[in-house]
Amino acid sequence: MNIGERDELLFKLIMTYKRDHNQTLFGQPIKSVGFMGEEFSKLPVDFTIAGLKGLSDVQLETIPFSIGCGKAPAGAKADIEINGEGVSLKSLQAAPPALVNHTARPGFEFACQNAGVSIDTLDNIIEDYWDKRMSGVITEDTRTTDLNCPFFQYREYLEPILEYFLFDGTGSKLSIAPAKYLIEFLDPCNESSYKKLNRQDTIAKIWPKLIFSLRAKKGMPSNYDINTYTGKGAASIARWVRYHSNDYRGALHIRISK
């Protein structure tokens, strides 16, 4: 179990404990804790928060399982529901996850449609990315802290797209469990380290840390060749593709630096 998975389970157990003992979170009573409409069962009467950090990984998996609590499934943007609202959890001790895994243009068409924005501006940004990359102005990875970054000037346009991928869905489908807000923490057992971020707050925090890149292989059709590929979304995929460094590259990857 990695540190992020461990911290997520610790947080869920603590929220369940707080519910069982009529405690609060950010000043609000915790009346319900569960996932996808299913309430977590009550913890054993002898359960204490003080002993959590000493639990082995096996113990830490056994207790949540006994109350119907576990790791959120793939496709879920929320990790837990508190008072009926989906919440995404982020441990600051864990390595930052990819915000958008390698996704070709059809996936961003789907995301833009659900985010309520046109993909046309993103097409122009990608064109600028390739112009600058081919001419050596930028490398594969381009950061929003770099004034040459093609994405740098488009924060307002990109915000709803980034929010979609963080809270609502992927490039292929809407999430089975969307999130309304995010809670980040340095230590799940220390409530003073908790911070609640709404969608706008989340984007404001991560924007200076974003890294964009267009890559090959992952996110692209198998053995992709722009001259021969005629599968689903062929015309759309081709719009972002360039042959560079001995491969066809056209899957946009967005990650958050430490």
Side-chain angles (χ1 to χ4, degrees):
M1 187 187 306
N2 63 43
I3 187 65
E5 293 169 336
R6 184 177 174 86
D7 281 357
E8 179 182 320
L9 287 177
L10 287 170
F11 183 91
K12 291 176 178 180
L13 288 174
I14 291 169
M15 291 303 104
T16 305
Y17 178 89
K18 289 168 80 62
R19 178 206 63 191
D20 292 351
H21 292 80
N22 301 310
Q23 296 181 7
T24 63
L25 178 67
F26 303 118
Q28 299 297 315
I30 299 179
K31 299 179 180 179
S32 173
V33 176
F35 188 68
M36 294 183 66
E38 295 291 329
E39 192 75 7
F40 297 157
S41 302
K42 286 192 173 185
L43 287 162
V45 292
D46 60 347
F47 179 90
T48 63
I49 291 178
L52 275 177
K53 283 194 172 182
L55 294 178
S56 67
D57 285 354
V58 173
Q59 291 172 314
L60 193 52
E61 290 176 332
T62 301
I63 298 173
F65 180 80
S66 71
I67 64 169
C69 160
K71 181 176 172 57
K77 292 299 179 177
D79 298 297
I80 189 173
E81 288 175 359
I82 301 174
N83 292 339
E85 296 180 333
V87 182
S88 176
L89 302 177
K90 180 185 178 185
S91 168
L92 298 178
Q93 299 187 92
L99 195 160
V100 183
N101 278 314
H102 309 76
T103 300
R105 188 177 182 277
F108 276 90
E109 285 185 289
F110 182 82
C112 287
Q113 180 181 2
N114 284 283
V117 299
S118 169
I119 198 172
D120 292 347
T121 300
L122 186 54
D123 286 338
N124 292 334
I125 296 171
I126 298 299
E127 185 72 29
D128 187 31
Y129 170 94
W130 278 121
D131 287 346
K132 289 178 176 176
R133 185 168 169 187
M134 294 291 199
S135 61
V137 174
I138 61 172
T139 58
E140 179 179 72
D141 289 347
T142 179
R143 300 168 179 259
T144 47
T145 51
D146 180 1
L147 296 182
N148 289 316
C149 175
F151 300 85
F152 171 75
Q153 299 181 49
Y154 292 94
R155 174 174 162 178
E156 184 176 351
Y157 164 75
L158 290 166
E159 278 188 359
I161 301 173
L162 298 173
E163 287 178 20
Y164 168 81
F165 279 107
L166 278 166
F167 296 99
D168 299 315
T170 67
S172 59
K173 60 185 177 181
L174 293 171
S175 174
I176 57 173
K180 184 172 183 179
Y181 61 92
L182 180 148
I183 294 177
E184 65 176 23
F185 46 83
L186 184 60
D187 179 356
C189 298
N190 179 5
E191 192 171 344
S192 66
S193 75
Y194 295 4
K195 186 173 183 180
K196 181 178 179 180
L197 300 172
N198 64 25
R199 293 173 175 238
Q200 293 75 29
D201 292 337
T202 303
I203 301 302
K205 179 164 187 178
I206 68 173
W207 179 257
K209 301 179 180 181
L210 292 183
I211 303 172
F212 297 81
S213 54
L214 276 157
R215 297 180 175 176
K217 301 294 189 294
K218 293 180 180 179
M220 297 289 288
S222 179
N223 300 317
Y224 179 83
D225 187 312
I226 198 169
N227 300 303
T228 60
Y229 180 73
T230 58
K232 185 178 179 180
S236 177
I237 293 170
R239 291 194 61 175
W240 285 7
V241 171
R242 301 292 185 277
Y243 191 78
H244 187 68
S245 299
N246 301 313
D247 215 336
Y248 290 103
R249 304 177 185 277
L252 181 57
H253 185 73
I254 308 173
R255 69 185 192 275
I256 305 168
S257 63
K258 195 71 173 177

